[in-house]
Amino acid sequence: MSITIRKELLDDYKLTERIIKNAFANLEFSDKKEHELVARIRKSDVFIPELSLVATDKDNNEIVGHILLSKIKIINDNQSVESLALAPVSVLPNYQNKGIGEQLILEALQKAKEFGYHSVVVLGHPQYYPKFGFKKASLWGITAPFEVPDEAFMALELRQGTLDNASGVVEYPSVFFD
Ligand SMILES: CC(C)(COP(=O)(O)OP(=O)(O)OC[C@H]1O[C@@H](n2cnc3c(N)ncnc32)[C@H](O)[C@@H]1OP(=O)(O)O)[C@@H](O)C(=O)NCCC(=O)NCCS
């Protein structure tokens, strides 16, 4: 198996959505609508096409995974700081636990850094994301706009110090809640 990570193209959209649906199909916590969330984000102004990436298996040229980073804000009484949400990341069940999720995340973070973005926020598995440098968002005084376990709401500075004065509540765009 040889995996390539590349930008998602318009022609990939339908297939990518099928991959996302499949990846979440058996998960209890999932609303099984993550593929619809991605479709809505793609049509909105928070979408960054360069930060929607797919993993393809060179052997059969199939898409087997996907990741999306899109624009969010961290807001307090005095300021609004631009950040990115990592949501969702998906790998087909048959391809999981082979390092593809890790490749997708590393590439997306690298690209986000290259494009000059400052930070990334994720709501996810507290055992999975720290290896990429994510820490509890509450360490910077950053909180979610809904109830979440403290350790599952995490943030990452793409450049050192970019979250130092960013305490506030994350504001997700309305497309996240449709
Ligand atoms: C989570 C996911 C993207 C990881 O991708 P992957 O290619 O399977 O992951 P990798 O091979 O890079 O890494 C495997 C590691 O992830 C861990 N992992 C996988 N799913 C996990 C989960 N639900 N909770 C905690 N850890 C998990 C494995 O235990 C393994 O840990 P290790 O490296 O310490 O052995 C993939 O399993 C997936 O699509 N899951 C369903 C959708 C989902 O839960 N997405 C994340 C929430 S947005």
Side-chain angles (χ1 to χ4, degrees):
M1 187 181 63
S2 171
I3 296 296
T4 306
I5 311 290
R6 63 162 171 82
K7 183 181 158 186
E8 186 194 31
L9 305 173
L10 222 104
D11 279 352
D12 300 322
Y13 281 13
K14 282 283 157 274
L15 184 54
T16 307
E17 282 163 37
R18 243 186 289 153
I19 304 308
I20 298 167
K21 204 172 170 184
N22 257 323
F24 283 88
N26 298 318
L27 297 182
E28 220 173 275
F29 69 80
S30 159
D31 63 2
K32 317 285 186 277
K33 290 184 174 174
E34 289 80 3
H35 59 295
E36 294 176 14
L37 168 65
V38 168
R40 285 198 304 275
I41 292 175
R42 285 206 211 91
K43 289 184 200 144
S44 78
D45 59 1
V46 300
F47 180 50
I48 307 160
E50 292 75 15
L51 298 183
S52 185
L53 306 179
V54 290
T56 60
D57 183 351
K58 262 192 186 163
D59 295 344
N60 52 20
N61 211 21
E62 285 288 330
I63 293 174
V64 298
H66 171 258
I67 189 168
L68 181 62
L69 301 186
S70 58
K71 291 180 200 169
I72 51 163
K73 290 174 183 156
I74 307 167
I75 293 189
N76 66 28
D77 287 344
N78 303 313
Q79 64 178 13
S80 169
V81 174
E82 263 221 353
S83 184
L84 297 171
L86 190 171
V89 53
S90 320
V91 174
L92 276 181
N94 281 346
Y95 285 82
Q96 287 175 12
N97 291 308
K98 300 179 196 297
I100 299 171
E102 179 170 348
Q103 282 186 60
L104 280 164
I105 292 168
L106 288 174
E107 185 67 16
L109 295 178
Q110 180 57 35
K111 285 259 176 301
K113 196 172 170 178
E114 282 168 24
F115 286 117
Y117 291 96
H118 292 161
S119 63
V120 182
V121 171
V122 68
L123 169 60
H125 312 300
Q127 295 81 21
Y128 187 57
Y129 291 96
K131 68 173 162 186
F132 305 105
F134 283 90
K135 297 177 187 160
K136 288 195 293 185
S138 59
L139 292 171
W140 290 280
I142 298 166
T143 55
F146 36 72
E147 285 262 320
V148 288
D150 186 48
E151 65 278 8
F153 198 64
M154 294 167 271
L156 168 82
E157 292 179 328
L158 291 169
R159 283 178 186 71
Q160 210 182 349
T162 47
L163 288 175
D164 275 353
N165 297 305
S167 70
V169 181
V170 169
E171 185 183 84
Y172 290 95
S174 59
V175 284
F176 270 78
F177 305 105
D178 283 354

PDB file of all heavy atoms in Angstrom, residues 50-67:
ATOM      1  N   GLU A  50      -7.356  24.735  -0.228  1.00  0.00           N
ATOM      2  CA  GLU A  50      -6.000  24.169  -0.084  1.00  0.00           C
ATOM      3  C   GLU A  50      -5.850  23.336   1.185  1.00  0.00           C
ATOM      4  O   GLU A  50      -4.884  22.598   1.346  1.00  0.00           O
ATOM      5  CB  GLU A  50      -4.947  25.295  -0.036  1.00  0.00           C
ATOM      6  CG  GLU A  50      -4.778  26.054  -1.331  1.00  0.00           C
ATOM      7  CD  GLU A  50      -5.928  27.027  -1.603  1.00  0.00           C
ATOM      8  OE1 GLU A  50      -6.700  27.324  -0.661  1.00  0.00           O
ATOM      9  OE2 GLU A  50      -6.042  27.466  -2.757  1.00  0.00           O
ATOM     10  N   LEU A  51      -6.808  23.493   2.115  1.00  0.00           N
ATOM     11  CA  LEU A  51      -6.726  22.739   3.375  1.00  0.00           C
ATOM     12  C   LEU A  51      -7.798  21.662   3.463  1.00  0.00           C
ATOM     13  O   LEU A  51      -8.205  21.234   4.539  1.00  0.00           O
ATOM     14  CB  LEU A  51      -6.796  23.693   4.568  1.00  0.00           C
ATOM     15  CG  LEU A  51      -5.653  24.723   4.646  1.00  0.00           C
ATOM     16  CD1 LEU A  51      -5.768  25.570   5.908  1.00  0.00           C
ATOM     17  CD2 LEU A  51      -4.284  24.040   4.595  1.00  0.00           C
ATOM     18  N   SER A  52      -8.296  21.246   2.300  1.00  0.00           N
ATOM     19  CA  SER A  52      -9.146  20.057   2.212  1.00  0.00           C
ATOM     20  C   SER A  52      -8.325  19.022   1.456  1.00  0.00           C
ATOM     21  O   SER A  52      -8.076  19.165   0.261  1.00  0.00           O
ATOM     22  CB  SER A  52     -10.442  20.385   1.459  1.00  0.00           C
ATOM     23  OG  SER A  52     -11.310  19.268   1.465  1.00  0.00           O
ATOM     24  N   LEU A  53      -7.851  18.016   2.178  1.00  0.00           N
ATOM     25  CA  LEU A  53      -6.882  17.072   1.609  1.00  0.00           C
ATOM     26  C   LEU A  53      -7.464  15.667   1.582  1.00  0.00           C
ATOM     27  O   LEU A  53      -8.238  15.293   2.474  1.00  0.00           O
ATOM     28  CB  LEU A  53      -5.601  17.055   2.450  1.00  0.00           C
ATOM     29  CG  LEU A  53      -4.902  18.391   2.711  1.00  0.00           C
ATOM     30  CD1 LEU A  53      -3.669  18.163   3.581  1.00  0.00           C
ATOM     31  CD2 LEU A  53      -4.511  19.070   1.404  1.00  0.00           C
ATOM     32  N   VAL A  54      -7.070  14.907   0.564  1.00  0.00           N
ATOM     33  CA  VAL A  54      -7.469  13.498   0.520  1.00  0.00           C
ATOM     34  C   VAL A  54      -6.225  12.615   0.536  1.00  0.00           C
ATOM     35  O   VAL A  54      -5.149  13.019   0.064  1.00  0.00           O
ATOM     36  CB  VAL A  54      -8.322  13.165  -0.735  1.00  0.00           C
ATOM     37  CG1 VAL A  54      -9.692  13.814  -0.639  1.00  0.00           C
ATOM     38  CG2 VAL A  54      -7.614  13.553  -2.024  1.00  0.00           C
ATOM     39  N   ALA A  55      -6.409  11.423   1.081  1.00  0.00           N
ATOM     40  CA  ALA A  55      -5.379  10.391   1.012  1.00  0.00           C
ATOM     41  C   ALA A  55      -5.814   9.405  -0.059  1.00  0.00           C
ATOM     42  O   ALA A  55      -6.959   8.947  -0.054  1.00  0.00           O
ATOM     43  CB  ALA A  55      -5.255   9.675   2.357  1.00  0.00           C
ATOM     44  N   THR A  56      -4.918   9.115  -0.993  1.00  0.00           N
ATOM     45  CA  THR A  56      -5.268   8.137  -2.028  1.00  0.00           C
ATOM     46  C   THR A  56      -4.318   6.950  -1.946  1.00  0.00           C
ATOM     47  O   THR A  56      -3.143   7.097  -1.609  1.00  0.00           O
ATOM     48  CB  THR A  56      -5.185   8.744  -3.456  1.00  0.00           C
ATOM     49  OG1 THR A  56      -3.849   9.187  -3.691  1.00  0.00           O
ATOM     50  CG2 THR A  56      -6.139   9.911  -3.620  1.00  0.00           C
ATOM     51  N   ASP A  57      -4.894   5.784  -2.257  1.00  0.00           N
ATOM     52  CA  ASP A  57      -4.090   4.563  -2.311  1.00  0.00           C
ATOM     53  C   ASP A  57      -3.611   4.407  -3.748  1.00  0.00           C
ATOM     54  O   ASP A  57      -4.414   4.213  -4.659  1.00  0.00           O
ATOM     55  CB  ASP A  57      -4.962   3.369  -1.888  1.00  0.00           C
ATOM     56  CG  ASP A  57      -4.159   2.080  -1.865  1.00  0.00           C
ATOM     57  OD1 ASP A  57      -2.997   2.079  -2.328  1.00  0.00           O
ATOM     58  OD2 ASP A  57      -4.707   1.074  -1.381  1.00  0.00           O
ATOM     59  N   LYS A  58      -2.310   4.505  -3.939  1.00  0.00           N
ATOM     60  CA  LYS A  58      -1.747   4.475  -5.298  1.00  0.00           C
ATOM     61  C   LYS A  58      -2.057   3.159  -6.006  1.00  0.00           C
ATOM     62  O   LYS A  58      -2.185   3.109  -7.225  1.00  0.00           O
ATOM     63  CB  LYS A  58      -0.229   4.654  -5.240  1.00  0.00           C
ATOM     64  CG  LYS A  58       0.226   6.081  -5.501  1.00  0.00           C
ATOM     65  CD  LYS A  58       1.737   6.077  -5.715  1.00  0.00           C
ATOM     66  CE  LYS A  58       2.286   7.483  -5.835  1.00  0.00           C
ATOM     67  NZ  LYS A  58       3.735   7.472  -5.635  1.00  0.00           N
ATOM     68  N   ASP A  59      -2.177   2.084  -5.241  1.00  0.00           N
ATOM     69  CA  ASP A  59      -2.381   0.762  -5.846  1.00  0.00           C
ATOM     70  C   ASP A  59      -3.666   0.707  -6.662  1.00  0.00           C
ATOM     71  O   ASP A  59      -3.715   0.071  -7.708  1.00  0.00           O
ATOM     72  CB  ASP A  59      -2.411  -0.339  -4.772  1.00  0.00           C
ATOM     73  CG  ASP A  59      -1.058  -0.450  -4.085  1.00  0.00           C
ATOM     74  OD1 ASP A  59      -0.076   0.085  -4.644  1.00  0.00           O
ATOM     75  OD2 ASP A  59      -1.002  -1.046  -2.995  1.00  0.00           O
ATOM     76  N   ASN A  60      -4.729   1.352  -6.155  1.00  0.00           N
ATOM     77  CA  ASN A  60      -5.996   1.313  -6.907  1.00  0.00           C
ATOM     78  C   ASN A  60      -6.535   2.710  -7.223  1.00  0.00           C
ATOM     79  O   ASN A  60      -7.652   2.855  -7.700  1.00  0.00           O
ATOM     80  CB  ASN A  60      -7.052   0.489  -6.143  1.00  0.00           C
ATOM     81  CG  ASN A  60      -7.187   0.974  -4.716  1.00  0.00           C
ATOM     82  OD1 ASN A  60      -6.804   2.100  -4.408  1.00  0.00           O
ATOM     83  ND2 ASN A  60      -7.733   0.152  -3.846  1.00  0.00           N
ATOM     84  N   ASN A  61      -5.717   3.735  -6.897  1.00  0.00           N
ATOM     85  CA  ASN A  61      -6.082   5.114  -7.197  1.00  0.00           C
ATOM     86  C   ASN A  61      -7.379   5.552  -6.527  1.00  0.00           C
ATOM     87  O   ASN A  61      -8.085   6.416  -7.034  1.00  0.00           O
ATOM     88  CB  ASN A  61      -6.178   5.306  -8.718  1.00  0.00           C
ATOM     89  CG  ASN A  61      -5.806   6.723  -9.101  1.00  0.00           C
ATOM     90  OD1 ASN A  61      -5.122   7.409  -8.333  1.00  0.00           O
ATOM     91  ND2 ASN A  61      -6.271   7.179 -10.251  1.00  0.00           N
ATOM     92  N   GLU A  62      -7.710   4.932  -5.388  1.00  0.00           N
ATOM     93  CA  GLU A  62      -8.952   5.254  -4.673  1.00  0.00           C
ATOM     94  C   GLU A  62      -8.673   6.228  -3.529  1.00  0.00           C
ATOM     95  O   GLU A  62      -7.600   6.181  -2.915  1.00  0.00           O
ATOM     96  CB  GLU A  62      -9.554   3.974  -4.072  1.00  0.00           C
ATOM     97  CG  GLU A  62     -10.217   3.059  -5.071  1.00  0.00           C
ATOM     98  CD  GLU A  62     -11.530   3.635  -5.585  1.00  0.00           C
ATOM     99  OE1 GLU A  62     -12.190   4.376  -4.841  1.00  0.00           O
ATOM    100  OE2 GLU A  62     -11.862   3.341  -6.744  1.00  0.00           O
ATOM    101  N   ILE A  63      -9.671   7.059  -3.234  1.00  0.00           N
ATOM    102  CA  ILE A  63      -9.572   7.906  -2.041  1.00  0.00           C
ATOM    103  C   ILE A  63      -9.905   7.052  -0.814  1.00  0.00           C
ATOM    104  O   ILE A  63     -10.896   6.319  -0.806  1.00  0.00           O
ATOM    105  CB  ILE A  63     -10.549   9.093  -2.148  1.00  0.00           C
ATOM    106  CG1 ILE A  63     -10.104  10.022  -3.282  1.00  0.00           C
ATOM    107  CG2 ILE A  63     -10.619   9.865  -0.833  1.00  0.00           C
ATOM    108  CD1 ILE A  63     -11.072  11.150  -3.572  1.00  0.00           C
ATOM    109  N   VAL A  64      -9.046   7.120   0.200  1.00  0.00           N
ATOM    110  CA  VAL A  64      -9.269   6.292   1.397  1.00  0.00           C
ATOM    111  C   VAL A  64      -9.350   7.135   2.672  1.00  0.00           C
ATOM    112  O   VAL A  64      -9.647   6.605   3.746  1.00  0.00           O
ATOM    113  CB  VAL A  64      -8.176   5.216   1.538  1.00  0.00           C
ATOM    114  CG1 VAL A  64      -8.210   4.269   0.341  1.00  0.00           C
ATOM    115  CG2 VAL A  64      -6.786   5.829   1.687  1.00  0.00           C
ATOM    116  N   GLY A  65      -9.098   8.437   2.550  1.00  0.00           N
ATOM    117  CA  GLY A  65      -9.170   9.299   3.730  1.00  0.00           C
ATOM    118  C   GLY A  65      -9.296  10.758   3.346  1.00  0.00           C
ATOM    119  O   GLY A  65      -9.053  11.134   2.183  1.00  0.00           O
ATOM    120  N   HIS A  66      -9.680  11.556   4.317  1.00  0.00           N
ATOM    121  CA  HIS A  66      -9.891  12.995   4.048  1.00  0.00           C
ATOM    122  C   HIS A  66      -9.704  13.792   5.335  1.00  0.00           C
ATOM    123  O   HIS A  66      -9.967  13.294   6.430  1.00  0.00           O
ATOM    124  CB  HIS A  66     -11.327  13.207   3.522  1.00  0.00           C
ATOM    125  CG  HIS A  66     -11.718  14.651   3.423  1.00  0.00           C
ATOM    126  ND1 HIS A  66     -12.529  15.276   4.359  1.00  0.00           N
ATOM    127  CD2 HIS A  66     -11.402  15.607   2.516  1.00  0.00           C
ATOM    128  CE1 HIS A  66     -12.704  16.543   4.006  1.00  0.00           C
ATOM    129  NE2 HIS A  66     -12.025  16.773   2.903  1.00  0.00           N
ATOM    130  N   ILE A  67      -9.254  15.032   5.183  1.00  0.00           N
ATOM    131  CA  ILE A  67      -9.180  15.949   6.323  1.00  0.00           C
ATOM    132  C   ILE A  67      -9.560  17.345   5.859  1.00  0.00           C
ATOM    133  O   ILE A  67      -9.301  17.717   4.700  1.00  0.00           O
ATOM    134  CB  ILE A  67      -7.765  15.962   6.953  1.00  0.00           C
ATOM    135  CG1 ILE A  67      -7.774  16.741   8.275  1.00  0.00           C
ATOM    136  CG2 ILE A  67      -6.734  16.568   6.003  1.00  0.00           C
ATOM    137  CD1 ILE A  67      -6.500  16.548   9.086  1.00  0.00           C
TER     138      ILE A  67
END
